[in-house]
Amino acid sequence: MPTVEERLARTEAAIASLRERNEALAQENRWLKDQIFGRSSEKRVAPVVGNQPYLFNEAEALGETTAEERVQVPSHSRAKRGRKPIKDTLPRVEIVHDLADDQKVCPHDGTPLVKVGEEASEQTDYAPATLRVLRHIRYKYGCPCCKGFMKTAAKPEQILPKSNATPSLLAQVTTAKYVDGMPLYRQQAQFARLGLELPRATMANWIVKLGTVSVIPIINLLNEQMLDGPLIHCDETRVQVLKSDRAPTAEHWMWVRAGGLPGKNILLFDYDPSRGADVVRRLFAGYDGILVSDGHGPYDKVAAEFGLVHGGCLVHARRYFDRARKKMPEAPERAAAALDFFTRLYRIEKQLKARDPTPTPEEWLAVRREKSKPVMDAFKAWLDDIAPRLPPQGALGEAVNYTLGQWKKLTVFLDNPIVPLDNNRAENAIRPFVVGRKAWLFCHAQ
């Protein structure tokens, strides 16, 4: 039978565990409320100086600056404010405004006025979309002697045979749906305003035929070129699919890869009901370059199997600390301290990108080792110091443990100049799909 001391120790341990769980649930509750009612941006807001927050007096509070608060600011160049000029690549239509003939005389002595110059201003004009019908006329020729031979001019090749849609119309429907997130029923309404009755069922059949037949050779070619490139970003997002082999409520996934040879940006999307390592093996079969991804486990497994250089994503790690900052509004200092390390790293990259001319890969790598590596070393020391003192279930403990678990991948950019700090290229590529997903609601597996 346990002694009183043993029962007391068990009770104290249970109370401590419940306290940790209660704090974790409280943090999760604050996070969910912030997701619903708070700012969605991950940008940090500068703290308010003084005891009185600005509240609704932003202009007045910012304007109350005394003479004693003046500081010396070093000279610097400032970007010119005002409206940006209209790009020269857009076509120009000149509209001349001239004086009437009876106004081209001097009111003082009646001398005819002469042109001494001109004033020009530009406006951006929008020409609404127009529809037209291309009428193909094929001449026929016959032999006047034998009366038995006849020949007709060849019909141009069509992407969809026996369809009345031109390549430009097919491109518009597909781009509007998958790039702009415009459902077909909305496109149907837009075409109706232009005078064309185009049922969405017809557009859906066009898209299915394009995706299952017409563009397959192009996709295969792009896939080969991507696998020949030095670096590939990869990410995945959920999509609800009906009439598949799995239950309608089961999770299905849309995968995106971004890569290609230098100067050629290739984006490829792949649907799969699984999120496992088999999908990663299929997508990266025959590849021997650099993979950049988030912390999803199958990427680690396949990268080790294929011998790939595997880069991580600092943005994902930063997101954990930003979430911790929002979950712990009463004590955000430690989370803010971690966010400062990320700010310093991205400031270095921003300065490199702003250089003219663009630094060579060797110069880029030298700057990273000179400036970024000390920041990463200090960050690692900070993580190792704080990790043992944090409950693993807490928001900050989760952020610290995730970052330490991903550390090897997060430091790959220090040894390879073409590896970015994050996986934003894939995330930005998949964002239009996520926007469209809100309108599509679900898909059908073919």
Side-chain angles (χ1 to χ4, degrees), residues 3 20 56 61-62 65 76 98 102 152 173 180 188-189 197 204 218 225 234 247 259 289 368-369 389 413 430 439:
T3 64
E20 290 183 5
F56 303 104
L62 291 173
T65 305
H76 62 281
D98 200 358
D102 59 350
T152 306
V173 172
D180 301 329
Q188 179 180 356
E197 296 298 329
I218 300 177
Q225 293 184 3
C234 193
R368 282 181 172 179
R369 289 178 174 173
R389 297 183 277 117
F413 78 97
I430 211 169

Side-chain angles (χ1 to χ4, degrees), residues 143-258:
C143 179
C145 296
C146 67
K147 307 294 184 180
F149 178 78
M150 183 174 293
K151 190 172 184 178
T152 306
K155 187 178 182 179
E157 294 290 337
Q158 301 292 324
I159 297 180
L160 297 181
K162 298 182 180 181
S163 170
N164 61 355
T166 64
S168 63
L169 180 58
L170 296 174
Q172 169 60 30
V173 172
T174 307
T175 302
K177 178 175 174 61
Y178 292 106
V179 178
D180 301 329
M182 182 71 67
L184 295 182
Y185 77 90
R186 295 182 188 171
Q187 295 191 52
Q188 179 180 356
Q190 288 183 337
F191 285 122
R193 289 196 297 269
L194 296 173
L196 176 64
E197 296 298 329
L198 184 57
R200 54 180 165 175
T202 301
M203 291 186 282
N205 290 331
W206 290 349
I207 291 177
V208 170
K209 291 178 181 178
L210 288 172
T212 55
V213 180
S214 302
V215 300
I216 296 300
I218 300 177
I219 293 176
N220 293 336
L221 180 61
L222 292 174
N223 184 66
E224 294 175 1
Q225 293 184 3
M226 177 177 287
L227 296 178
D228 289 337
L231 183 144
I232 297 178
H233 294 258
C234 193
D235 197 12
E236 72 286 337
T237 188
R238 294 175 177 84
V239 59
Q240 186 175 4
V241 177
L242 303 181
K243 296 183 180 179
S244 69
D245 296 335
R246 306 179 66 186
T249 56
E251 291 183 336
H252 299 71
W253 301 90
M254 181 64 71
W255 298 71
V256 62
R257 289 174 295 160

Side-chain angles (χ1 to χ4, degrees), residues 271-441:
Y271 159 75
D272 200 284
S274 171
R275 199 191 181 195
D278 290 340
V279 184
V280 185
R281 291 190 188 95
R282 174 174 61 83
L283 296 179
F284 290 90
Y287 181 62
D288 59 356
I290 302 172
L291 167 63
V292 178
S293 72
D294 55 23
H296 186 41
Y299 293 121
D300 297 330
K301 185 176 182 179
V302 175
E305 292 177 4
F306 290 0
L308 306 178
V309 176
H310 193 185
C313 180
L314 280 169
V315 164
H316 274 79
R318 184 191 182 280
R319 197 165 293 154
Y320 276 87
F321 288 101
D322 183 73
R323 188 179 304 170
R325 177 179 61 85
K326 295 177 180 179
K327 285 184 177 182
M328 302 184 301
E330 70 284 352
E333 293 81 7
R334 288 184 291 185
L339 294 174
D340 288 337
F341 288 107
F342 295 98
T343 301
R344 292 161 61 186
L345 290 169
Y346 277 92
R347 184 180 297 121
I348 295 171
E349 293 293 310
K350 184 177 181 180
Q351 292 172 353
L352 280 169
K353 294 177 181 178
R355 285 189 181 183
D356 189 20
T358 303
T360 64
E362 293 75 16
E363 294 171 341
W364 205 292
L365 185 60
V367 173
R368 282 181 172 179
R369 289 178 174 173
E370 176 189 356
K371 298 183 178 181
S372 300
K373 190 177 186 305
V375 178
M376 293 295 287
D377 292 341
F379 190 22
K380 180 64 161 56
W382 183 85
L383 293 170
D384 290 336
D385 176 68
I386 198 175
R389 297 183 277 117
L390 294 174
Q393 293 182 344
L396 189 58
E398 183 183 11
V400 170
N401 292 330
Y402 174 85
T403 305
L404 288 174
Q406 298 288 312
W407 192 257
K408 182 178 179 180
K409 293 185 293 184
L410 295 179
T411 56
V412 169
F413 78 97
L414 296 175
D415 298 317
N416 198 314
I418 70 171
V419 177
L421 275 63
D422 50 55
N423 195 33
N424 279 358
R425 186 176 175 188
E427 290 198 0
N428 292 337
I430 211 169
R431 187 168 288 116
F433 176 84
V434 176
V435 173
R437 184 179 59 191
K438 297 178 181 180
W440 305 326
L441 298 182

